[in-house]
Amino acid sequence: MRPIAIRGAITAENNTAEEIKQASVQVVKSMVEKNNIKEDDIIMVFVTMTSDLTAFNSSAAIRQGMGWKEVPFFTSQEPEIDGSLEKCVRILLQCHSDIVRSEVQHIYLGQAANLRPDLIK
């Protein structure tokens, strides 16, 4: 097994705790399922949130929703850039895997699908 990185992003419709929780867990579940990743394979999860998402921390949502008590998380605010996508959670999941980089399935859901259409399979 070697280290790989899996990208993911999703948008929430509204800045509510429930929508942030639901969206954050949805994208991570899809990332691990599509790439056959187990909790023990995960090195760390880096999460960014846009400044308009303030009702709940996405890392806490993922930790609770996935039941990952031992996985390290780091959360940061996405830089505010004119015209950038609003209400967006971005994930970079670093893990060990046997898949090669070209086989990684990056997951972009909701309006975030417009961020990297070149990575969507």
Side-chain angles (χ1 to χ4, degrees), residues 3-115:
I4 64 166
I6 304 169
R7 300 178 206 181
I10 192 167
T11 50
E13 290 293 317
N14 299 292
N15 180 32
T16 65
E18 191 55 40
E19 287 195 33
I20 293 169
K21 289 177 187 180
Q22 184 275 331
S24 301
V25 172
Q26 179 185 358
V27 70
V28 170
K29 275 187 180 180
S30 185
M31 291 167 73
V32 298
E33 288 172 3
K34 298 274 185 181
N35 291 285
N36 196 30
I37 302 299
K38 308 292 185 263
E39 181 180 355
D40 285 342
D41 299 332
I42 300 169
I43 299 167
M44 64 92 59
V45 181
F46 183 70
V47 179
T48 66
M49 302 172 66
T50 53
S51 63
D52 51 4
L53 292 177
T54 59
F56 203 83
N57 184 313
S58 286
S59 290
I62 297 163
R63 184 181 306 286
Q64 292 167 7
M66 299 298 291
W68 292 348
K69 295 180 182 359
E70 302 297 322
V71 174
F73 283 81
F74 186 86
T75 308
S76 180
Q77 184 175 331
E78 190 72 26
E80 292 188 35
I81 308 295
D82 293 341
S84 63
L85 187 60
E86 297 178 349
K87 295 182 184 70
C88 187
V89 176
R90 291 173 174 86
I91 311 287
L92 182 63
L93 191 149
Q94 295 178 317
C95 57
H96 295 284
S97 178
D98 290 325
I99 60 177
V100 296
R101 186 174 292 157
S102 63
E103 295 173 344
V104 172
Q105 293 188 49
H106 304 285
I107 307 297
Y108 290 86
L109 303 174
Q111 293 299 314
N114 297 317
L115 291 172

